Amino acid sequence: MKKYILSIDQGTTSTRAILISQKGEKLFQAQRPLDCLYPNPGWVEQDANQIWISVVDVINELLIVSGVKWDEISSIGITNQRETTIVWDKKTGQPIHNAIVWQSKQTQKICDRFESKKNLIAKKTGLRLNPYFSASKIRFILDKVKGAQKRAEEGELLFGTVDTWIIYKMTKGASHATDPSNASRTMLFNIFDMKWDEELLSLWKIPSKMLPKVVDNTDDFGEASFFGKDVHIRGVVGDQQSALFGQCCFREGESKNTYGTGCFMLMNIGSKPVLSKSGLLTTVAWRIKGKTTYALEGSVFIGGAVIQWLRDQTRWIEDSYDSEIYAAKKPDTAGVYFVPSFVGMGTPYWDDDARGAIFGLTRGADRHNITRAALYSIAYQSKDVIDTMIKEAKMPLPVLKVDGGASANKMLMQFQSDILQCEVRLPRCVETTALGAGYLAGLGSGFWKNIDDIESCHATSQVFWTKMDPKEAKKLCKGWDKAVEATRVYKIKD
Ligand code: ADP
């Protein structure tokens, strides 16, 4: 009997595996930490073999700990850190270079060479020209490893994001494939015709022979024969899109925000891509049975990290959890605004040279007020991104679904609902990233019949209803806007 879905969540700091029941519940999990390598300042790399070994380890541990047998698994889902780039030898299956991690800035100079093409790139891919995405990372590897360009042209080398690498290894080299959500982060994929783009490939001088086949998110990605027989990979999706699916944001306008170190917001915008004028990314959410769903994506650089800053730099709190307890000692911020633009400002301001500031201090303002202001800053910044999405997608926000470490903070979630004037919903299982790939795999293998089936087993643990008067919310947000403007006056480069 096929009783479980096995979902792999391959992230930057760890690899996790979970078993999901027919009721959509997480039953068991296993996790392995991963190392990052920093060969030069700003460079971030990983050992692709270590990534693969961590996948083998978590699957083995999960089966041993749970006592579940391989033939009880209906299918496998994979979700992964996006954009991270691996190039390997087709014959030996060995990487020719470390994996270059999404965060790495080592290809900034390569990107600078394409500055005059940034509009063309944005129009085809929905992305901003940036070292994050895979194209410049592939170029870097082909330039750096001797003879690699020629070997790639002759079809001896293969490229993959981490999903593709894991699929290749799990199927013992039988399948070299990816899904459209991962492909759309390479900067080589045309999100309008949903194909690798010939013009972009020739621009970056990347041979098409290296590229994986792009198939729908719930297609058959191959048999995981490394582990045993008859279990197929039936759900593959990049991590943020996976969380969107795992939060059941299946309809237009439905959005999720992940409150981690930074915040990642995605809005389902349906079947027509909208290109942003304010720096949001347009990305493929998923393609199921030939039908593509797009998403707008935006992020906040310093989300939960502002609480880490309070913990480590001011030492007013001992751990992140305490922030809620201390902030609750005062009923409000006493007019204080905290703008944590420690590394510049993202959507919709795009101001690299801005730095953080605290405004409105009075003699009575204390650390409790400032802690509250720091928490509120996470909600204000998220609102700035969400407002941009609402404006550009021309869609209202009926509800915001939330996850990530800082979504455990009830004061923050209530304030988010108050200033957005919309319902905020926390799911029962906060492992939405792993759930998303699991749901897709279950759809692919017929474990669940359709999305209604999935929705019926997706439970909410808490709903935050708006309690604040709209006028009061508007007034507070106006104060935030003023604080942001004031912050931007001071530039580190002045
Ligand atoms: P990531 O996946 O980015 O590492 P997590 O989802 O694990 O992040 O969330 C960790 C972040 O959330 C940290 O920045 C931490 O300061 C913040 N955080 C965790 N718990 C709370 C809390 N109860 N209140 C506020 N912030 C929190």
Side-chain angles (χ1 to χ4, degrees):
M1 240 289 262
K2 303 283 189 190
K3 291 192 279 197
Y4 310 100
I5 297 288
L6 171 62
S7 183
I8 312 289
D9 175 3
Q10 203 303 302
T12 318
T13 52
S14 73
T15 301
R16 306 153 59 73
I18 67 170
L19 273 180
I20 306 170
S21 72
Q22 187 98 43
K23 288 187 186 151
E25 285 163 337
K26 180 184 89 171
L27 298 179
F28 295 95
Q29 73 167 56
Q31 184 164 357
R32 285 285 179 285
L34 278 176
D35 300 323
C36 276
L37 312 164
Y38 307 100
N40 286 301
W43 296 31
V44 190
E45 298 184 352
Q46 281 183 320
D47 176 350
N49 280 327
Q50 193 198 26
I51 293 178
W52 164 236
I53 290 165
S54 72
V55 173
V56 176
D57 282 353
V58 288
I59 293 180
N60 283 331
E61 183 183 325
L62 197 64
L63 294 179
I64 292 166
V65 170
S66 65
V68 167
K69 297 196 183 58
W70 187 245
D71 60 11
E72 291 177 294
I73 293 170
S74 169
S75 57
I76 298 173
I78 299 172
T79 181
N80 56 291
Q81 49 170 319
R82 302 173 302 174
E83 298 119 13
T84 297
T85 296
I86 306 169
V87 175
W88 65 93
D89 185 310
K90 194 173 174 177
K91 249 197 215 135
T92 63
Q94 281 305 311
I96 64 162
H97 191 276
N98 280 333
I100 303 184
V101 175
W102 57 276
Q103 299 156 323
S104 189
K105 297 276 189 230
Q106 70 207 73
T107 59
Q108 182 64 57
K109 281 202 182 115
I110 297 179
C111 287
D112 292 345
R113 299 207 307 256
F114 293 90
E115 187 61 26
S116 65
K117 301 286 181 193
K118 69 175 184 203
N119 291 337
L120 173 86
I121 291 172
K123 249 171 49 195
K124 287 176 176 242
T125 65
L127 305 174
R128 291 159 64 87
L129 175 63
N130 194 289
Y132 273 153
F133 307 107
S134 313
S136 64
K137 299 184 196 293
I138 305 175
R139 192 61 265 140
F140 180 95
I141 295 174
L142 295 183
D143 286 342
K144 188 173 162 203
V145 179
K146 213 167 152 223
Q149 180 72 26
K150 188 158 172 282
R151 292 182 64 206
E153 279 161 14
E154 286 166 2
E156 291 175 18
L157 300 180
L158 299 177
F159 151 75
T161 39
V162 174
D163 54 314
T164 304
W165 170 242
I166 297 172
I167 294 165
Y168 192 81
K169 289 296 198 185
M170 273 191 179
T171 61
K172 294 188 181 164
S175 172
H176 181 228
T178 191
D179 79 281
S181 73
N182 274 298
S184 73
R185 316 296 295 190
T186 58
M187 216 171 230
L188 301 170
F189 192 72
N190 188 315
I191 61 166
F192 295 88
D193 19 327
M194 298 294 284
K195 284 192 190 119
W196 297 119
D197 190 279
E198 292 297 335
E199 191 181 359
L200 294 180
L201 287 175
S202 73
L203 193 73
W204 294 96
K205 295 199 174 55
I206 292 174
S208 58
K209 280 186 180 161
M210 305 179 75
L211 303 177
K213 190 172 156 200
V214 184
V215 301
D216 286 9
N217 295 68
T218 51
D219 272 5
D220 191 352
F221 288 82
E223 184 185 38
S225 56
F226 182 89
F227 295 96
K229 280 187 101 41
D230 287 341
V231 179
H232 286 239
I233 305 162
R234 292 303 306 252
V236 175
V237 62
D239 55 9
Q240 293 306 322
Q241 290 95 327
S242 191
L244 190 70
F245 203 84
Q247 286 272 24
C248 294
C249 293
F250 300 142
R251 282 163 284 269
E252 282 183 21
E254 290 186 335
S255 308
K256 71 93 194 173
N257 192 12
T258 302
Y259 297 80
T261 310
C263 301
F264 276 99
M265 254 149 289
L266 262 77
M267 175 186 264
N268 179 331
I269 56 167
S271 56
K272 287 197 189 72
V274 175
L275 289 180
S276 168
K277 293 186 184 75
S278 318
L280 295 172
L281 304 178
T282 311
T283 202
V284 178
W286 46 78
R287 187 176 64 190
I288 299 174
K289 293 189 179 149
K291 188 170 173 280
T292 304
T293 298
Y294 293 90
L296 276 179
E297 175 172 327
S299 55
V300 166
F301 301 147
I302 303 292
V306 69
I307 302 303
Q308 286 169 301
W309 184 86
L310 282 183
R311 185 194 63 195
D312 302 337
Q313 308 304 118
T314 71
R315 303 192 180 234
W316 289 343
I317 54 173
E318 259 176 43
D319 75 50
S320 304
Y321 177 80
D322 295 342
S323 61
E324 185 164 358
I325 299 167
Y326 284 106
K329 288 187 188 290
K330 285 288 167 77
D332 54 32
T333 65
V336 173
Y337 283 95
F338 190 151
V339 185
S341 42
F342 302 149
V343 290
M345 282 180 188
T347 313
Y349 310 104
W350 296 105
D351 192 341
D352 285 346
D353 302 325
R355 287 298 177 266
I358 301 176
F359 290 97
L361 291 173
T362 56
R363 277 195 75 166
D366 65 8
R367 62 188 172 131
H368 305 309
N369 300 118
I370 297 174
T371 301
R372 197 181 259 263
L375 280 174
Y376 283 9
S377 77
I378 305 173
Y380 284 126
Q381 293 179 92
S382 297
K383 181 177 184 292
D384 284 341
V385 178
I386 291 165
D387 283 348
T388 311
M389 285 180 169
I390 293 172
K391 206 165 98 198
E392 297 204 320
K394 299 190 180 69
M395 283 172 196
L397 184 77
V399 48
L400 181 69
K401 301 189 180 175
V402 298
D403 49 49
S407 68
N409 190 308
K410 294 190 169 61
M411 177 187 287
L412 169 60
M413 293 301 107
Q414 183 59 51
F415 188 69
Q416 188 72 85
S417 167
D418 286 343
I419 57 166
L420 282 174
Q421 297 276 299
C422 96
E423 181 188 324
V424 166
R425 222 183 275 170
L426 189 70
R428 178 187 58 193
C429 174
V430 288
E431 312 265 1
T432 54
T433 310
L435 268 188
Y439 286 164
L440 284 163
L443 265 186
S445 60
F447 192 68
W448 291 294
K449 281 196 293 296
N450 49 40
I451 54 171
D452 296 339
D453 225 12
I454 291 173
E455 239 173 348
S456 68
C457 62
H458 182 86
T460 299
S461 86
Q462 199 168 357
V463 179
F464 297 87
W465 306 98
T466 306
K467 288 187 183 154
M468 191 180 281
D469 176 64
K471 275 196 200 131
E472 174 66 11
K474 217 170 170 183
K475 198 173 117 202
L476 287 175
C477 291
K478 212 168 159 194
W480 167 257
D481 291 342
K482 271 165 64 179
V484 167
E485 280 317 307
T487 306
R488 295 183 66 193
V489 172
Y490 175 79
K491 296 275 190 282
I492 48 159
K493 281 198 180 150
D494 283 349

